[in-house]
Amino acid sequence: MLKIYNSLTQTKEEFKPLVEGKIGIYVCGITTYDYLHLGHARMLVAFDVVTRYLRERGFEVNYVRNITDIDDKILNRAKENGELFSDLTDRFIEAMHEDERALAVLPPDVEPRATGHITEIVDMIKLLVEKDMAYRAGNGDVYFSVMNFPDYGKLSKKKMDELLDGARIEVGELKKDPRDFVLWKSSPDDGVGWDSPWGYGRPGWHIECSAMSTCCLGDNFDIHGGGSDLLFPHHENEVAQSEAATDTQFANVWMHNGPLRVDNEKMSKSLDNFFTVREILETYDAEVVRHLLIASHYRSPINYSEQSLRQSTSILERFYNSLKGLDIDSAKSLTNSRFEKAFFAAMDDDFNTPEAFSVLFEIVKEINKQKEGDPVLANQLGALLVRLANLLGILQSTPAEFLRSNVSTDVDEQEIDQLIAARKQARADKDWALADEIRDKLAAMKVVVEDGADGSGWRIER
RNA sequence: GGCUGGAUGGCAGAGUGGUCAUGCAGCGGACUGCAACUCCGUUAACGCCGGUUCGAUUCCGACUCCAGCCUCCA
């Protein structure tokens, strides 16, 4: 039985799709004005694992993840650069796709862009205005009327009156109520916008997601996801807009991935603890980064550090060491084993990847044990390990690829082979001094020699 | 101040009312010329104070501390 934690009810619930066998899932994607940072990667990888697993469970998944490609931050950055905002977003969307591919994040089925859905956005705002759930202010902006939506706060568990206490009153306030938020921003002067019944302008951020999700998946759909920092106000506002417009429940299940921290604080540019995906990938293997992101449960915070990356590195080395020497391709994966059952039980329990990993380690242990005694079984276990790991998007390389290459180290395989051959001769001559000298030389090249019964192998020191 | 989540062995990180997480590191042994890899064995934890219970790290309450959200944020 598949159970998913639902932020709306704050409990783990048995998951039941609206239509048997099918799942519609919408995840808030990226505002594309810069390179992806590790926090973005966390979200992308978390929902990549979710969708991979749901598909493995036999569901036909329609995964929709939007791109916010019109926004004040984008326009400001474009202005700084002196370029068209669409040139800026095109560039960073391409960069985002590159980073996703590096991290083995599968593309969503639909990737709607805000600028491609202006019609739906305008239609939804029109409907809200007609229903008296929104109003046009004096300057042409259109605001959502929070007061007219009694359920406001049901997702983030905030009380209407407490929100009023905390709300900032801005100078020159045009809102009827400080809690109201913008649906349509008037922009008569800057030349970036679209015509609308309320004049030339641009959509607010929250309405984009309401329009794109209901447009792609229907008024009521199965799962809505995103980072926990979006829960309020973004997701709360989405619920308000969508349910006010459609008079039906919006998403059935809300999933929120935990934050990525650095030095126990949220990663942010102002704290100067900000890491982009591509700068980390200059020194660490993408699979190592991916492992780090799924070694903790998706709802828990992850504290990023060099140490945690090194730990993920040794863990992957253990996996690949165990796969070394196995014939996976021609072996048939073990089916219906206790390992597989335990793995699925862990994943069925709200995608418990840490527990799933503990099962993978049990398989590793069994492989290492069986390598000598029952090579056929070892191969079958190896195939099982790779099959299950693929659901997490790891162990996608071969042992040789992973253990013998490194993004930050270049090796000359021919030279290594020559040195190993020379050492083999020295060892045959029992010239231990020379053999150790050669091994030290290899070590200086970041190459670790491993002697086995059938000759000496090597790997890169990480 | 309000709301939400958390506090587990040296580190990372699951979970459970009574028996084992798991990985890294450590310790003892096997293998090895010595290492590395691997194997076998092994030490070690549940923030603090009460309560419920035959029994609580797990349930309940108070407290302390930490983080996130309350403003753009994955």
Side-chain angles (χ1 to χ4, degrees), chain A residues 72-87:
Chain A
D72 284 351
K73 279 199 294 283
I74 291 171
L75 295 173
N76 292 340
R77 185 64 62 88
K79 203 172 167 187
E80 280 170 31
N81 296 353
E83 63 182 327
L84 278 173
F85 86 91
S86 52
D87 289 344

Side-chain angles (χ1 to χ4, degrees), chain A residues 36-195:
Chain A
L36 247 42
H37 63 239
L38 209 50
H40 294 130
R42 210 293 226 222
M43 175 275 288
L44 294 169
V45 169
F47 288 101
D48 184 56
V49 169
V50 166
T51 48
R52 278 175 192 248
Y53 185 69
L54 292 176
R55 291 200 168 99
E56 174 66 22
R57 276 297 240 100
F59 291 103
E60 190 184 308
V61 178
N62 189 195
Y63 178 23
V64 182
R65 195 186 61 220
N66 77 293
I67 294 173
T68 297
D69 61 348
I70 180 71
D71 163 276
D72 284 351
K73 279 199 294 283
I74 291 171
L75 295 173
N76 292 340
R77 185 64 62 88
K79 203 172 167 187
E80 280 170 31
N81 296 353
E83 63 182 327
L84 278 173
F85 86 91
S86 52
D87 289 344
L88 179 93
T89 52
D90 283 350
R91 212 170 62 244
F92 285 116
I93 288 168
E94 182 48 41
M96 172 179 83
H97 287 152
E98 282 171 17
D99 290 345
E100 283 173 29
R101 284 191 290 272
L103 291 169
V105 170
L106 301 173
D109 298 288
V110 189
E111 194 170 47
R113 300 186 186 189
T115 54
H117 290 264
I118 300 296
T119 311
E120 289 85 351
I121 292 168
V122 168
D123 286 348
M124 188 174 254
I125 300 173
K126 259 196 238 173
L127 188 59
L128 289 169
V129 172
E130 278 164 25
K131 291 178 132 179
D132 201 28
M133 298 302 296
Y135 57 92
R136 183 179 186 275
N139 64 349
D141 287 358
V142 179
Y143 293 101
F144 183 86
S145 189
V146 169
M147 214 164 42
N148 293 353
F149 187 75
D151 272 350
Y152 194 80
K154 72 172 173 181
L155 176 62
S156 58
K157 319 299 170 202
K158 295 193 185 294
K159 303 271 181 292
M160 282 279 238
D161 48 340
E162 283 164 359
L163 281 168
L164 195 55
D165 291 342
R168 291 187 180 182
I169 312 292
E170 287 156 36
V171 182
E173 191 64 77
L174 294 152
K175 300 172 186 174
K176 290 181 183 170
D177 184 310
R179 295 166 297 193
D180 294 349
F181 53 90
V182 73
L183 300 175
W184 189 259
K185 249 184 246 188
S186 170
S187 62
D189 305 323
D190 65 11
V192 182
W194 292 263
D195 287 319

Side-chain angles (χ1 to χ4, degrees), chain A residues 226-334:
Chain A
S228 54
D229 51 349
L230 297 189
L231 206 145
F232 188 87
H234 184 55
H235 291 160
E236 189 69 60
N237 291 354
E238 274 189 64
V239 171
Q241 295 159 336
S242 306
E243 298 194 351
T246 65
D247 292 310
T248 181
Q249 164 138 0
F250 186 44
N252 287 160
V253 177
W254 282 87
M255 291 181 70
H256 290 98
N257 64 274
L260 190 111
R261 297 182 193 162
V262 175
D263 298 326
N264 235 25
E265 284 181 290
K266 187 174 167 167
M267 192 167 77
S268 78
K269 281 185 175 167
S270 53
L271 287 163
D272 198 26
N273 59 0
F274 192 87
F275 297 92
T276 64
V277 169
R278 42 190 63 201
E279 77 184 301
I280 292 169
L281 292 183
E282 280 170 21
T283 19
Y284 290 92
D285 194 280
E287 230 172 40
V288 168
V289 178
R290 184 163 171 122
H291 175 271
L292 169 72
L293 296 175
I294 53 177
S296 307
H297 185 86
Y298 78 90
R299 281 190 282 122
S300 306
I302 292 178
N303 200 242
Y304 166 82
S305 67
E306 294 272 327
Q307 193 200 329
S308 50
L309 281 171
R310 280 200 299 274
Q311 192 149 302
S312 288
T313 303
S314 9
I315 286 167
L316 285 177
E317 280 179 336
R318 179 164 166 80
F319 278 124
Y320 279 113
N321 262 323
S322 144
L323 290 174
K324 204 167 52 182
L326 296 184
D327 180 9
I328 303 290
D329 295 335
S330 52
K332 275 186 80 175
S333 164
L334 217 59

